[in-house]
Amino acid sequence: MGHSAALCDHRAAIEITKDWNSIEQVVLRNPQGASARVSLHGGQVVSWRNEQGKELLFTSSKAKPSKAMRGGINICFPQFGNCGSLEQHGFARNKIWTVDSNPPPLQSNESQGKSFIDLLLKPNEEDLKCWPHSFEFRLRVLLATTGDLALISRVRNVNGKPFSFSFAYHTYLSVSDISEVRIEGLETLDYLDNLCNRERFTEQGDAITFESEVDRVYLSCPNIVAVLDHERKRTFVIRKEGLPDVGKPPFAFLNIIVHKAY
């Protein structure tokens, strides 16, 4: 994985490496053996492994250097999908972020055993031509002693002129046979079906299961959603804070896409 340099830090072990394209990556580790790898290209989490070393995120074998990797956790900003004038999912996922060497400290009740890194993104002249708003995007990635992974985003308006944006963590979870997977917590919610020209439906089942291709955006999603993988006897619990519904479409949503492997 190229050259590396260990950084001594009271928060936990942090390592800086380079990928096959000489782009820096930050590796967070906890004492139990779990790890998370974050690329400065796109501020993207490209790997998350539990204490047994098992990969929890999916990445495509066809991922291309210098392009936003299909997999991991993509940062979609300042636009999600094609709901706007910018490129698909905005430009943040195709930019080189920087590491904040002196980030704000964790709250005392949050700091126990957590390893974290802060990445920053600011617009350049080309960005301002296509999206004329000054901002600072701070992404904090935390790995807990339990192996839990948390992402915290803060968008600061630099010049005080109001602007709006859409945002998402576009996460690819690694699961077994999709027929063995179910999602709980979205019952009775409305969703937009991208396979039916974004027609709006209401979820009728007590859990979501998969028999064919699915591409849906669930609106006004709750703070906790569970993804159960029966074959691997593994459950992903997805928790969120903030991102209340504002305007149309709502910002609090869950995008579920299931298709053939690539």
Side-chain angles (χ1 to χ4, degrees), residues 83-95:
C83 300
S85 59
L86 299 176
E87 60 186 292
Q88 177 87 353
H89 294 322
F91 51 73
R93 67 194 188 118
N94 287 312
K95 298 296 181 181

Side-chain angles (χ1 to χ4, degrees), residues 21 42 65 102 139-140 158 160 182 203 208 214 219 243 247 257:
N21 204 36
N102 187 29
L139 172 66
R140 175 165 288 183
V158 173
R182 59 188 278 138
E203 181 58 51
I208 300 170
V214 173
L219 308 175
L243 292 180
I257 304 175

Side-chain angles (χ1 to χ4, degrees), residues 90-133:
F91 51 73
R93 67 194 188 118
N94 287 312
K95 298 296 181 181
I96 299 297
W97 296 51
T98 60
V99 175
D100 187 352
S101 59
N102 187 29
L106 291 171
Q107 298 294 326
S108 58
N109 60 340
E110 298 178 340
S111 61
Q112 185 65 34
K114 286 187 177 179
S115 171
F116 76 94
I117 192 75
D118 277 20
L119 301 184
L120 297 175
L121 178 67
K122 299 178 183 180
N124 58 29
E125 292 184 3
E126 291 301 314
D127 298 332
L128 292 172
K129 288 179 182 178
C130 65
W131 199 68
H133 305 292

Side-chain angles (χ1 to χ4, degrees), residues 92-226:
R93 67 194 188 118
N94 287 312
K95 298 296 181 181
I96 299 297
W97 296 51
T98 60
V99 175
D100 187 352
S101 59
N102 187 29
L106 291 171
Q107 298 294 326
S108 58
N109 60 340
E110 298 178 340
S111 61
Q112 185 65 34
K114 286 187 177 179
S115 171
F116 76 94
I117 192 75
D118 277 20
L119 301 184
L120 297 175
L121 178 67
K122 299 178 183 180
N124 58 29
E125 292 184 3
E126 291 301 314
D127 298 332
L128 292 172
K129 288 179 182 178
C130 65
W131 199 68
H133 305 292
S134 296
F135 68 90
E136 178 188 82
F137 192 130
R138 176 181 296 274
L139 172 66
R140 175 165 288 183
V141 182
L142 305 99
L143 183 68
T145 53
T146 58
D148 291 347
L149 183 68
L151 278 68
I152 302 173
S153 290
R154 297 285 187 269
V155 178
R156 183 169 68 90
N157 188 333
V158 173
N159 62 16
K161 296 180 180 180
F163 61 82
S164 61
F165 61 90
S166 57
F167 161 80
Y169 297 129
H170 201 305
T171 305
Y172 295 73
L173 298 176
S174 178
V175 297
S176 62
D177 190 307
I178 194 62
S179 64
E180 297 294 325
V181 174
R182 59 188 278 138
I183 300 178
E184 298 180 352
L186 301 176
E187 56 274 8
T188 74
L189 295 187
D190 285 358
Y191 64 87
L192 306 178
D193 194 329
N194 289 326
L195 301 182
C196 297
N197 297 315
R198 294 181 66 82
E199 188 175 350
R200 188 163 181 156
F201 298 94
T202 300
E203 181 58 51
Q204 301 297 323
D206 58 356
I208 300 170
T209 56
F210 306 96
E211 298 178 354
S212 60
E213 184 178 5
V214 173
D215 189 345
R216 301 173 182 174
V217 177
Y218 283 80
L219 308 175
S220 304
C221 64
N223 289 340
I224 300 177
V225 174

Side-chain angles (χ1 to χ4, degrees), residues 25-46:
Q25 296 184 340
V26 179
V27 183
L28 307 177
R29 305 184 192 278
N30 73 6
Q32 288 70 33
S35 67
R37 183 181 298 270
V38 189
S39 175
L40 268 59
H41 183 228
Q44 183 176 3
V45 178
V46 296

